[in-house]
PDB file of all heavy atoms in Angstrom:
ATOM      1  N   ALA A 289      29.776   0.359   3.728  1.00  0.00           N
ATOM      2  CA  ALA A 289      29.917  -0.111   5.141  1.00  0.00           C
ATOM      3  C   ALA A 289      31.054  -1.008   5.366  1.00  0.00           C
ATOM      4  O   ALA A 289      31.725  -0.929   6.303  1.00  0.00           O
ATOM      5  CB  ALA A 289      28.582  -0.989   5.312  1.00  0.00           C
ATOM      6  N   SER A 290      31.301  -1.940   4.349  1.00  0.00           N
ATOM      7  CA  SER A 290      32.488  -2.912   4.499  1.00  0.00           C
ATOM      8  C   SER A 290      33.700  -2.196   4.824  1.00  0.00           C
ATOM      9  O   SER A 290      34.470  -2.544   5.733  1.00  0.00           O
ATOM     10  CB  SER A 290      32.405  -3.854   3.511  1.00  0.00           C
ATOM     11  OG  SER A 290      31.380  -4.801   3.460  1.00  0.00           O
ATOM     12  N   PRO A 291      34.212  -1.234   4.004  1.00  0.00           N
ATOM     13  CA  PRO A 291      35.487  -0.628   4.282  1.00  0.00           C
ATOM     14  C   PRO A 291      35.501   0.113   5.614  1.00  0.00           C
ATOM     15  O   PRO A 291      36.555   0.240   6.194  1.00  0.00           O
ATOM     16  CB  PRO A 291      35.790   0.196   3.062  1.00  0.00           C
ATOM     17  CG  PRO A 291      34.446   0.335   2.457  1.00  0.00           C
ATOM     18  CD  PRO A 291      33.703  -0.855   2.706  1.00  0.00           C
ATOM     19  N   LEU A 292      34.499   0.744   6.019  1.00  0.00           N
ATOM     20  CA  LEU A 292      34.392   1.433   7.056  1.00  0.00           C
ATOM     21  C   LEU A 292      34.488   0.559   8.400  1.00  0.00           C
ATOM     22  O   LEU A 292      35.315   0.906   9.274  1.00  0.00           O
ATOM     23  CB  LEU A 292      33.109   2.337   7.321  1.00  0.00           C
ATOM     24  CG  LEU A 292      32.976   3.559   6.357  1.00  0.00           C
ATOM     25  CD1 LEU A 292      31.674   4.245   6.598  1.00  0.00           C
ATOM     26  CD2 LEU A 292      34.091   4.525   6.591  1.00  0.00           C
ATOM     27  N   ILE A 293      33.733  -0.451   8.321  1.00  0.00           N
ATOM     28  CA  ILE A 293      33.916  -1.484   9.622  1.00  0.00           C
ATOM     29  C   ILE A 293      35.119  -2.189   9.550  1.00  0.00           C
ATOM     30  O   ILE A 293      35.757  -2.389  10.587  1.00  0.00           O
ATOM     31  CB  ILE A 293      32.710  -2.454   9.339  1.00  0.00           C
ATOM     32  CG1 ILE A 293      31.321  -1.797   9.540  1.00  0.00           C
ATOM     33  CG2 ILE A 293      32.809  -3.507  10.499  1.00  0.00           C
ATOM     34  CD1 ILE A 293      30.246  -2.749   9.239  1.00  0.00           C
ATOM     35  N   ALA A 294      35.714  -2.492   8.364  1.00  0.00           N
ATOM     36  CA  ALA A 294      37.061  -3.075   8.398  1.00  0.00           C
ATOM     37  C   ALA A 294      38.064  -2.000   8.860  1.00  0.00           C
ATOM     38  O   ALA A 294      39.041  -2.602   9.607  1.00  0.00           O
ATOM     39  CB  ALA A 294      37.436  -3.459   6.843  1.00  0.00           C
ATOM     40  N   SER A 295      37.934  -0.756   8.581  1.00  0.00           N
ATOM     41  CA  SER A 295      38.910   0.169   9.154  1.00  0.00           C
ATOM     42  C   SER A 295      38.871   0.244  10.651  1.00  0.00           C
ATOM     43  O   SER A 295      40.016   0.328  11.325  1.00  0.00           O
ATOM     44  CB  SER A 295      38.556   1.569   8.654  1.00  0.00           C
ATOM     45  OG  SER A 295      38.739   1.775   7.268  1.00  0.00           O
ATOM     46  N   ALA A 296      37.615   0.101  11.280  1.00  0.00           N
ATOM     47  CA  ALA A 296      37.576  -0.021  12.610  1.00  0.00           C
ATOM     48  C   ALA A 296      38.261  -1.126  13.258  1.00  0.00           C
ATOM     49  O   ALA A 296      39.126  -1.130  14.088  1.00  0.00           O
ATOM     50  CB  ALA A 296      36.215   0.077  13.095  1.00  0.00           C
ATOM     51  N   HIS A 297      38.000  -2.260  12.493  1.00  0.00           N
ATOM     52  CA  HIS A 297      38.594  -3.643  12.985  1.00  0.00           C
ATOM     53  C   HIS A 297      40.199  -3.549  12.929  1.00  0.00           C
ATOM     54  O   HIS A 297      40.827  -4.120  13.782  1.00  0.00           O
ATOM     55  CB  HIS A 297      38.135  -4.743  12.176  1.00  0.00           C
ATOM     56  CG  HIS A 297      38.550  -6.124  12.470  1.00  0.00           C
ATOM     57  ND1 HIS A 297      39.575  -6.722  11.960  1.00  0.00           N
ATOM     58  CD2 HIS A 297      38.090  -7.013  13.472  1.00  0.00           C
ATOM     59  CE1 HIS A 297      39.719  -7.929  12.406  1.00  0.00           C
ATOM     60  NE2 HIS A 297      38.839  -8.056  13.292  1.00  0.00           N
ATOM     61  N   ALA A 298      40.722  -2.823  11.871  1.00  0.00           N
ATOM     62  CA  ALA A 298      42.145  -2.807  11.637  1.00  0.00           C
ATOM     63  C   ALA A 298      42.792  -1.657  12.376  1.00  0.00           C
ATOM     64  O   ALA A 298      43.972  -1.609  12.389  1.00  0.00           O
ATOM     65  CB  ALA A 298      42.432  -2.592  10.131  1.00  0.00           C
ATOM     66  N   GLY A 299      41.989  -0.855  13.097  1.00  0.00           N
ATOM     67  CA  GLY A 299      42.518   0.261  13.905  1.00  0.00           C
ATOM     68  C   GLY A 299      42.927   1.439  13.191  1.00  0.00           C
ATOM     69  O   GLY A 299      43.736   2.216  13.571  1.00  0.00           O
ATOM     70  N   LEU A 300      42.442   1.611  11.921  1.00  0.00           N
ATOM     71  CA  LEU A 300      42.590   2.845  11.123  1.00  0.00           C
ATOM     72  C   LEU A 300      41.412   3.807  11.234  1.00  0.00           C
ATOM     73  O   LEU A 300      40.253   3.435  11.088  1.00  0.00           O
ATOM     74  CB  LEU A 300      42.879   2.389   9.721  1.00  0.00           C
ATOM     75  CG  LEU A 300      44.122   1.624   9.390  1.00  0.00           C
ATOM     76  CD1 LEU A 300      44.115   1.275   7.878  1.00  0.00           C
ATOM     77  CD2 LEU A 300      45.384   2.415   9.757  1.00  0.00           C
ATOM     78  N   SER A 301      41.839   5.081  11.368  1.00  0.00           N
ATOM     79  CA  SER A 301      40.770   6.061  11.313  1.00  0.00           C
ATOM     80  C   SER A 301      41.043   6.887  10.039  1.00  0.00           C
ATOM     81  O   SER A 301      42.125   6.829   9.455  1.00  0.00           O
ATOM     82  CB  SER A 301      40.691   6.902  12.466  1.00  0.00           C
ATOM     83  OG  SER A 301      41.949   7.604  12.796  1.00  0.00           O
ATOM     84  N   GLY A 302      40.163   7.899   9.828  1.00  0.00           N
ATOM     85  CA  GLY A 302      40.380   8.635   8.576  1.00  0.00           C
ATOM     86  C   GLY A 302      39.264   9.411   8.346  1.00  0.00           C
ATOM     87  O   GLY A 302      38.459   9.926   9.098  1.00  0.00           O
ATOM     88  N   VAL A 303      38.814   9.648   6.921  1.00  0.00           N
ATOM     89  CA  VAL A 303      37.730  10.516   6.566  1.00  0.00           C
ATOM     90  C   VAL A 303      37.164   9.858   5.275  1.00  0.00           C
ATOM     91  O   VAL A 303      37.935   9.338   4.423  1.00  0.00           O
ATOM     92  CB  VAL A 303      38.173  11.953   6.353  1.00  0.00           C
ATOM     93  CG1 VAL A 303      39.218  12.163   5.295  1.00  0.00           C
ATOM     94  CG2 VAL A 303      36.894  12.874   6.089  1.00  0.00           C
ATOM     95  N   ALA A 304      35.888   9.846   5.251  1.00  0.00           N
ATOM     96  CA  ALA A 304      35.155   9.354   4.037  1.00  0.00           C
ATOM     97  C   ALA A 304      34.508  10.575   3.446  1.00  0.00           C
ATOM     98  O   ALA A 304      33.881  11.448   4.058  1.00  0.00           O
ATOM     99  CB  ALA A 304      34.099   8.284   4.401  1.00  0.00           C
ATOM    100  N   LEU A 305      34.737  10.796   2.172  1.00  0.00           N
ATOM    101  CA  LEU A 305      34.227  11.924   1.113  1.00  0.00           C
ATOM    102  C   LEU A 305      33.375  11.315   0.135  1.00  0.00           C
ATOM    103  O   LEU A 305      33.773  10.365  -0.548  1.00  0.00           O
ATOM    104  CB  LEU A 305      35.465  12.599   0.604  1.00  0.00           C
ATOM    105  CG  LEU A 305      36.405  13.198   1.612  1.00  0.00           C
ATOM    106  CD1 LEU A 305      37.616  13.687   0.953  1.00  0.00           C
ATOM    107  CD2 LEU A 305      35.718  14.282   2.532  1.00  0.00           C
ATOM    108  N   CYS A 306      32.137  11.855   0.208  1.00  0.00           N
ATOM    109  CA  CYS A 306      31.149  11.310  -0.687  1.00  0.00           C
ATOM    110  C   CYS A 306      30.635  12.442  -1.725  1.00  0.00           C
ATOM    111  O   CYS A 306      30.179  13.495  -1.339  1.00  0.00           O
ATOM    112  CB  CYS A 306      29.871  10.822   0.140  1.00  0.00           C
ATOM    113  SG  CYS A 306      28.453  10.356  -0.927  1.00  0.00           S
ATOM    114  N   ALA A 307      30.991  12.111  -2.916  1.00  0.00           N
ATOM    115  CA  ALA A 307      30.541  13.038  -4.031  1.00  0.00           C
ATOM    116  C   ALA A 307      29.017  12.765  -4.238  1.00  0.00           C
ATOM    117  O   ALA A 307      28.745  11.683  -4.725  1.00  0.00           O
ATOM    118  CB  ALA A 307      31.393  12.876  -5.343  1.00  0.00           C
ATOM    119  N   ILE A 308      28.380  13.942  -4.409  1.00  0.00           N
ATOM    120  CA  ILE A 308      26.842  13.794  -4.574  1.00  0.00           C
ATOM    121  C   ILE A 308      26.603  13.783  -6.048  1.00  0.00           C
ATOM    122  O   ILE A 308      26.995  14.707  -6.847  1.00  0.00           O
ATOM    123  CB  ILE A 308      26.030  15.027  -4.006  1.00  0.00           C
ATOM    124  CG1 ILE A 308      26.385  14.952  -2.382  1.00  0.00           C
ATOM    125  CG2 ILE A 308      24.510  14.894  -4.195  1.00  0.00           C
ATOM    126  CD1 ILE A 308      25.973  13.888  -1.759  1.00  0.00           C
ATOM    127  N   THR A 309      25.827  12.681  -6.559  1.00  0.00           N
ATOM    128  CA  THR A 309      25.533  12.464  -7.945  1.00  0.00           C
ATOM    129  C   THR A 309      24.101  12.814  -8.276  1.00  0.00           C
ATOM    130  O   THR A 309      23.733  12.971  -9.354  1.00  0.00           O
ATOM    131  CB  THR A 309      25.885  11.083  -8.388  1.00  0.00           C
ATOM    132  OG1 THR A 309      25.179  10.112  -7.623  1.00  0.00           O
ATOM    133  CG2 THR A 309      27.462  10.759  -8.244  1.00  0.00           C
ATOM    134  N   ASP A 310      23.234  12.715  -7.242  1.00  0.00           N
ATOM    135  CA  ASP A 310      21.805  12.808  -7.480  1.00  0.00           C
ATOM    136  C   ASP A 310      21.066  13.207  -6.229  1.00  0.00           C
ATOM    137  O   ASP A 310      21.652  13.128  -4.976  1.00  0.00           O
ATOM    138  CB  ASP A 310      21.270  11.689  -8.085  1.00  0.00           C
ATOM    139  CG  ASP A 310      21.419  10.411  -7.112  1.00  0.00           C
ATOM    140  OD1 ASP A 310      22.413  10.093  -6.820  1.00  0.00           O
ATOM    141  OD2 ASP A 310      20.304   9.736  -6.909  1.00  0.00           O
ATOM    142  N   ARG A 311      19.793  13.586  -6.339  1.00  0.00           N
ATOM    143  CA  ARG A 311      18.912  13.788  -5.086  1.00  0.00           C
ATOM    144  C   ARG A 311      17.944  12.801  -4.977  1.00  0.00           C
ATOM    145  O   ARG A 311      17.340  12.239  -6.070  1.00  0.00           O
ATOM    146  CB  ARG A 311      18.274  15.206  -5.288  1.00  0.00           C
ATOM    147  CG  ARG A 311      19.161  16.471  -5.434  1.00  0.00           C
ATOM    148  CD  ARG A 311      18.395  17.674  -5.313  1.00  0.00           C
ATOM    149  NE  ARG A 311      17.157  17.642  -5.899  1.00  0.00           N
ATOM    150  CZ  ARG A 311      16.854  18.001  -7.206  1.00  0.00           C
ATOM    151  NH1 ARG A 311      17.766  18.467  -7.877  1.00  0.00           N
ATOM    152  NH2 ARG A 311      15.457  17.992  -7.669  1.00  0.00           N
ATOM    153  N   ALA A 312      17.458  12.494  -3.848  1.00  0.00           N
ATOM    154  CA  ALA A 312      16.437  11.459  -3.596  1.00  0.00           C
ATOM    155  C   ALA A 312      15.127  11.800  -4.222  1.00  0.00           C
ATOM    156  O   ALA A 312      14.248  10.951  -4.530  1.00  0.00           O
ATOM    157  CB  ALA A 312      16.264  11.223  -2.046  1.00  0.00           C
ATOM    158  N   ASP A 313      14.856  13.100  -4.523  1.00  0.00           N
ATOM    159  CA  ASP A 313      13.416  13.645  -4.841  1.00  0.00           C
ATOM    160  C   ASP A 313      13.357  13.734  -6.493  1.00  0.00           C
ATOM    161  O   ASP A 313      12.465  14.257  -6.942  1.00  0.00           O
ATOM    162  CB  ASP A 313      13.087  14.783  -4.292  1.00  0.00           C
ATOM    163  CG  ASP A 313      13.961  15.991  -4.451  1.00  0.00           C
ATOM    164  OD1 ASP A 313      15.144  15.758  -5.191  1.00  0.00           O
ATOM    165  OD2 ASP A 313      13.687  16.960  -4.197  1.00  0.00           O
ATOM    166  N   GLU A 314      14.566  13.292  -7.118  1.00  0.00           N
ATOM    167  CA  GLU A 314      14.515  13.300  -8.643  1.00  0.00           C
ATOM    168  C   GLU A 314      14.553  11.911  -9.193  1.00  0.00           C
ATOM    169  O   GLU A 314      15.009  10.961  -8.698  1.00  0.00           O
ATOM    170  CB  GLU A 314      15.690  14.265  -9.151  1.00  0.00           C
ATOM    171  CG  GLU A 314      17.030  13.626  -8.841  1.00  0.00           C
ATOM    172  CD  GLU A 314      18.118  14.474  -9.499  1.00  0.00           C
ATOM    173  OE1 GLU A 314      17.827  15.033 -10.550  1.00  0.00           O
ATOM    174  OE2 GLU A 314      19.305  14.369  -8.885  1.00  0.00           O
ATOM    175  N   ALA A 315      14.012  11.862 -10.423  1.00  0.00           N
ATOM    176  CA  ALA A 315      14.188  10.642 -11.237  1.00  0.00           C
ATOM    177  C   ALA A 315      15.472  10.619 -12.029  1.00  0.00           C
ATOM    178  O   ALA A 315      15.655  11.370 -12.797  1.00  0.00           O
ATOM    179  CB  ALA A 315      12.918  10.446 -12.155  1.00  0.00           C
ATOM    180  N   VAL A 316      16.332   9.582 -11.538  1.00  0.00           N
ATOM    181  CA  VAL A 316      17.552   9.471 -12.232  1.00  0.00           C
ATOM    182  C   VAL A 316      17.780   7.975 -12.724  1.00  0.00           C
ATOM    183  O   VAL A 316      17.611   7.250 -11.924  1.00  0.00           O
ATOM    184  CB  VAL A 316      18.770   9.915 -11.389  1.00  0.00           C
ATOM    185  CG1 VAL A 316      20.100   9.871 -12.106  1.00  0.00           C
ATOM    186  CG2 VAL A 316      18.553  11.405 -10.887  1.00  0.00           C
ATOM    187  N   ASP A 317      18.232   7.777 -13.836  1.00  0.00           N
ATOM    188  CA  ASP A 317      18.440   6.413 -14.261  1.00  0.00           C
ATOM    189  C   ASP A 317      20.027   5.999 -14.249  1.00  0.00           C
ATOM    190  O   ASP A 317      20.729   7.041 -13.880  1.00  0.00           O
ATOM    191  CB  ASP A 317      17.876   6.173 -15.804  1.00  0.00           C
ATOM    192  CG  ASP A 317      18.656   7.124 -16.832  1.00  0.00           C
ATOM    193  OD1 ASP A 317      19.739   7.627 -16.544  1.00  0.00           O
ATOM    194  OD2 ASP A 317      18.039   7.264 -17.834  1.00  0.00           O
ATOM    195  N   VAL A 318      20.310   4.828 -14.511  1.00  0.00           N
ATOM    196  CA  VAL A 318      21.654   4.514 -14.351  1.00  0.00           C
ATOM    197  C   VAL A 318      22.588   5.159 -15.188  1.00  0.00           C
ATOM    198  O   VAL A 318      23.658   5.646 -14.723  1.00  0.00           O
ATOM    199  CB  VAL A 318      21.802   2.889 -14.451  1.00  0.00           C
ATOM    200  CG1 VAL A 318      23.188   2.428 -14.373  1.00  0.00           C
ATOM    201  CG2 VAL A 318      20.983   2.181 -13.385  1.00  0.00           C
ATOM    202  N   ALA A 319      22.255   5.293 -16.448  1.00  0.00           N
ATOM    203  CA  ALA A 319      23.116   6.029 -17.360  1.00  0.00           C
ATOM    204  C   ALA A 319      23.415   7.551 -16.869  1.00  0.00           C
ATOM    205  O   ALA A 319      24.650   7.924 -16.926  1.00  0.00           O
ATOM    206  CB  ALA A 319      22.486   6.176 -18.713  1.00  0.00           C
ATOM    207  N   ALA A 320      22.494   8.194 -16.301  1.00  0.00           N
ATOM    208  CA  ALA A 320      22.706   9.561 -15.837  1.00  0.00           C
ATOM    209  C   ALA A 320      23.555   9.420 -14.511  1.00  0.00           C
ATOM    210  O   ALA A 320      24.436  10.239 -14.390  1.00  0.00           O
ATOM    211  CB  ALA A 320      21.334  10.116 -15.413  1.00  0.00           C
ATOM    212  N   LEU A 321      23.491   8.531 -13.772  1.00  0.00           N
ATOM    213  CA  LEU A 321      24.272   8.330 -12.532  1.00  0.00           C
ATOM    214  C   LEU A 321      25.738   8.122 -12.982  1.00  0.00           C
ATOM    215  O   LEU A 321      26.567   8.785 -12.406  1.00  0.00           O
ATOM    216  CB  LEU A 321      23.881   7.311 -11.692  1.00  0.00           C
ATOM    217  CG  LEU A 321      22.543   7.574 -10.851  1.00  0.00           C
ATOM    218  CD1 LEU A 321      22.141   6.335 -10.035  1.00  0.00           C
ATOM    219  CD2 LEU A 321      22.714   8.611  -9.975  1.00  0.00           C
ATOM    220  N   VAL A 322      25.941   7.293 -14.007  1.00  0.00           N
ATOM    221  CA  VAL A 322      27.415   7.077 -14.398  1.00  0.00           C
ATOM    222  C   VAL A 322      27.931   8.313 -15.050  1.00  0.00           C
ATOM    223  O   VAL A 322      29.059   8.700 -14.783  1.00  0.00           O
ATOM    224  CB  VAL A 322      27.436   6.044 -15.526  1.00  0.00           C
ATOM    225  CG1 VAL A 322      28.759   5.882 -16.226  1.00  0.00           C
ATOM    226  CG2 VAL A 322      26.969   4.537 -14.825  1.00  0.00           C
ATOM    227  N   ALA A 323      27.152   9.118 -15.684  1.00  0.00           N
ATOM    228  CA  ALA A 323      27.536  10.346 -16.321  1.00  0.00           C
ATOM    229  C   ALA A 323      28.025  11.337 -15.349  1.00  0.00           C
ATOM    230  O   ALA A 323      28.911  12.016 -15.215  1.00  0.00           O
ATOM    231  CB  ALA A 323      26.598  10.860 -17.302  1.00  0.00           C
ATOM    232  N   ARG A 324      27.032  11.470 -14.253  1.00  0.00           N
ATOM    233  CA  ARG A 324      27.271  12.413 -13.229  1.00  0.00           C
ATOM    234  C   ARG A 324      28.530  11.977 -12.348  1.00  0.00           C
ATOM    235  O   ARG A 324      29.266  12.877 -11.901  1.00  0.00           O
ATOM    236  CB  ARG A 324      26.127  12.581 -12.287  1.00  0.00           C
ATOM    237  CG  ARG A 324      24.990  13.349 -12.988  1.00  0.00           C
ATOM    238  CD  ARG A 324      23.854  13.522 -12.064  1.00  0.00           C
ATOM    239  NE  ARG A 324      22.780  14.394 -12.647  1.00  0.00           N
ATOM    240  CZ  ARG A 324      21.616  14.613 -12.036  1.00  0.00           C
ATOM    241  NH1 ARG A 324      21.460  14.203 -10.791  1.00  0.00           N
ATOM    242  NH2 ARG A 324      20.716  15.274 -12.545  1.00  0.00           N
ATOM    243  N   SER A 325      28.768  10.691 -12.160  1.00  0.00           N
ATOM    244  CA  SER A 325      29.896  10.231 -11.462  1.00  0.00           C
ATOM    245  C   SER A 325      31.201  10.694 -12.102  1.00  0.00           C
ATOM    246  O   SER A 325      32.076  11.119 -11.532  1.00  0.00           O
ATOM    247  CB  SER A 325      29.848   8.775 -11.242  1.00  0.00           C
ATOM    248  OG  SER A 325      28.750   8.335 -10.399  1.00  0.00           O
ATOM    249  N   ALA A 326      31.191  10.579 -13.443  1.00  0.00           N
ATOM    250  CA  ALA A 326      32.284  10.947 -14.145  1.00  0.00           C
ATOM    251  C   ALA A 326      32.511  12.483 -14.023  1.00  0.00           C
ATOM    252  O   ALA A 326      33.714  13.004 -14.071  1.00  0.00           O
ATOM    253  CB  ALA A 326      32.168  10.655 -15.632  1.00  0.00           C
ATOM    254  N   GLU A 327      31.450  13.305 -13.982  1.00  0.00           N
ATOM    255  CA  GLU A 327      31.593  14.645 -13.806  1.00  0.00           C
ATOM    256  C   GLU A 327      32.068  15.124 -12.425  1.00  0.00           C
ATOM    257  O   GLU A 327      32.954  16.016 -12.320  1.00  0.00           O
ATOM    258  CB  GLU A 327      30.190  15.311 -14.069  1.00  0.00           C
ATOM    259  CG  GLU A 327      29.655  15.167 -15.499  1.00  0.00           C
ATOM    260  CD  GLU A 327      28.266  15.675 -15.610  1.00  0.00           C
ATOM    261  OE1 GLU A 327      27.693  16.170 -14.571  1.00  0.00           O
ATOM    262  OE2 GLU A 327      27.682  15.588 -16.686  1.00  0.00           O
ATOM    263  N   VAL A 328      31.756  14.448 -11.458  1.00  0.00           N
ATOM    264  CA  VAL A 328      32.106  14.850 -10.017  1.00  0.00           C
ATOM    265  C   VAL A 328      33.409  14.223  -9.655  1.00  0.00           C
ATOM    266  O   VAL A 328      34.000  14.833  -8.777  1.00  0.00           O
ATOM    267  CB  VAL A 328      31.038  14.562  -8.987  1.00  0.00           C
ATOM    268  CG1 VAL A 328      29.775  15.239  -9.336  1.00  0.00           C
ATOM    269  CG2 VAL A 328      30.806  13.091  -8.960  1.00  0.00           C
ATOM    270  N   ALA A 329      33.871  13.188 -10.369  1.00  0.00           N
ATOM    271  CA  ALA A 329      35.170  12.509  -9.890  1.00  0.00           C
ATOM    272  C   ALA A 329      36.276  13.501  -9.913  1.00  0.00           C
ATOM    273  O   ALA A 329      37.158  13.473  -8.919  1.00  0.00           O
ATOM    274  CB  ALA A 329      35.379  11.344 -10.825  1.00  0.00           C
ATOM    275  N   PRO A 330      36.581  14.285 -10.816  1.00  0.00           N
ATOM    276  CA  PRO A 330      37.627  15.167 -10.871  1.00  0.00           C
ATOM    277  C   PRO A 330      37.843  16.008  -9.545  1.00  0.00           C
ATOM    278  O   PRO A 330      38.828  16.213  -9.026  1.00  0.00           O
ATOM    279  CB  PRO A 330      37.599  16.003 -12.251  1.00  0.00           C
ATOM    280  CG  PRO A 330      36.842  15.173 -13.104  1.00  0.00           C
ATOM    281  CD  PRO A 330      35.892  14.475 -12.241  1.00  0.00           C
TER     282      PRO A 330
END
């Protein structure tokens, strides 16, 4: 939220890209999220 609202305030537009690390209907712990983040980052 903060960088998007700041972009509006600063007069910058662009695009936000979100890599999916998990689904809302699955049980995922923090360690799994960190591992998946590393997998999708490249």
